[in-house]
Amino acid sequence: MDLSIVIPLLNEEESLPELCAWIQRVMQDNRYNYEIILIDDGSTDDSWKVIRELQEKDPMHIKGIKFQRNYGKSAALNEGFRAAQGEVIITMDADLQDSPDEIPGLRQMVLDEGFDLVSGWKKKRYDNALTKNMPSKFFNAATRKVSGIYLHDFNCGLKAYRKKVVKSIEVYGEMHRYIPVIAKWAGFRRIGEKVVEHRARKYGITKFGLDRFVNGFLDLASITFVGKYGKRPMHFFGMWGTFAFLLGAVSFAYLVIAKIINPEVSLSNRPAFFIALAAMIIGSQLFLAGFLGELISRNASGRNLYLVEEKLGLG
């Protein structure tokens, strides 16, 4: 199969028929063998009814996944990635702000230019400048600095992936913003960028508030730590725990020796005594945290289990 189009959605009943028809035109014009996977992330409108009707009209190409409740965009993408069978996987939003006409160019960059992942760049945006555009620029600048990946728009929903990439990564929590970072930590370093058309919202309202930027920076710190130490937490906690314990132990030994040499010197009434004691306690706790982290990381099998109420066209 040439292409899998993975589309997470929440309350997008109005845009879905137009979006699917547009994608189908592009696919037919380019003679692609394709599938469209629509993931309903707990919609409260008639989105699933619309998906069912679309799937009945084109069961060969349209497939659906319905979550029992809202889990978030990351969960929807993760389920879509698990189901996708295409050689190249394209993700896009369901609100018609992403143009399906960009799909052939994105696919070409993956297949012909050797990229593992190509991220869209909405160079000209039609969002609110104060609430979305300016915070987005700050967020992207911080992510570039921390990750070393020089993309202008990490959070663009329009992306293309080589199949091996989506089958090698997990997207959970709110980590969909950092899929390029996750891919890099998984060893996929050929990450490119393409300027894409951004369209004004035609139906409905945005599903994201200002809190996403606060959560975004917390997620950035989390993904940076997990990327470096997720499989070896003892290397982080053990290192700092050992350092703190040794610092406290050396200081304590110095105080004891000083007391032996000069009995007149007070031991327990000195601030250094309590600092040394606290350092040893903190060091021991950090070491134990690393040990527990190792146990958890090796036994966390249910991190991506979601309640899927129904599937269409999928085994």
Side-chain angles (χ1 to χ4, degrees), residues 58-183:
D58 188 2
M60 181 178 294
H61 296 117
I62 295 181
K63 302 172 182 179
I65 298 173
K66 183 179 188 296
F67 282 171
Q68 189 165 309
R69 66 172 179 84
N70 176 254
Y71 284 103
K73 188 175 182 178
S74 293
L77 286 173
N78 195 72
E79 286 298 308
F81 288 162
R82 289 175 61 181
Q85 297 300 315
E87 183 181 13
V88 174
I89 288 82
I90 304 288
T91 61
M92 62 191 311
D93 294 335
D95 55 12
L96 292 173
Q97 289 191 280
D98 294 333
S99 170
D101 290 334
E102 302 287 353
I103 291 174
L106 289 167
R107 178 178 182 271
Q108 182 180 10
M109 289 183 70
V110 172
L111 294 181
D112 297 344
E113 299 181 37
F115 288 104
D116 296 314
L117 185 160
V118 179
S119 181
W121 173 19
K122 301 170 184 175
K123 194 170 184 178
K124 183 178 180 180
R125 297 178 64 109
Y126 291 93
D127 293 321
N128 184 283
L130 183 62
T131 61
K132 295 194 74 173
N133 291 0
M134 290 180 62
S136 180
K137 288 181 179 180
F138 181 70
F139 161 79
N140 285 308
T143 307
R144 283 194 298 272
K145 184 72 174 176
V146 172
S147 68
I149 302 173
Y150 294 95
L151 298 178
H152 290 86
D153 192 357
F154 282 84
N155 200 31
C156 179
L158 188 56
K159 289 183 173 65
Y161 308 83
R162 196 176 298 278
K163 183 179 181 180
K164 186 178 180 181
V165 176
V166 303
K167 300 301 183 182
S168 302
I169 63 175
E170 284 184 304
V171 190
Y172 58 93
E174 293 294 325
M175 297 301 181
H176 59 272
R177 304 178 182 92
Y178 301 107
I179 292 180
V181 183
I182 296 171

Side-chain angles (χ1 to χ4, degrees), residues 9-21 43 45-51 53-54 94-96 201-205 207:
L9 62 104
L10 176 65
N11 298 333
E12 299 286 359
E13 61 175 324
E14 295 175 303
S15 63
L16 286 174
E18 185 175 341
L19 175 63
C20 287
S43 294
D45 64 359
D46 287 332
S47 291
W48 185 246
K49 179 182 177 182
V50 173
I51 293 171
E53 293 171 353
L54 292 169
D95 55 12
L96 292 173
R201 176 178 279 275
K202 188 173 181 179
Y203 302 107
I205 59 173
K207 310 301 189 298

Side-chain angles (χ1 to χ4, degrees), residues 194-250:
K194 182 181 185 299
V195 176
V196 297
E197 178 187 6
H198 184 234
R199 300 163 59 84
R201 176 178 279 275
K202 188 173 181 179
Y203 302 107
I205 59 173
T206 181
K207 310 301 189 298
F208 300 100
L210 288 175
D211 60 331
R212 72 187 181 123
F213 295 106
V214 176
N215 294 336
F217 287 110
L218 295 176
D219 289 336
L220 178 59
S222 175
I223 196 62
T224 301
F225 175 82
V226 170
K228 288 184 177 181
Y229 302 105
K231 300 297 184 183
R232 46 191 177 93
M234 181 60 85
H235 288 198
F236 177 82
F237 292 106
M239 177 185 68
W240 288 108
T242 301
F243 175 76
F245 185 86
L246 289 177
L247 182 64
V250 169

Side-chain angles (χ1 to χ4, degrees), residues 262-291:
N262 184 4
E264 299 296 326
V265 175
S266 175
L267 178 63
S268 60
N269 290 334
R270 300 175 66 179
F273 172 81
F274 295 100
I275 293 173
L277 193 62
M280 287 192 291
I281 293 172
I282 292 172
S284 299
Q285 290 177 329
L286 286 172
F287 189 88
L288 288 173
F291 179 73

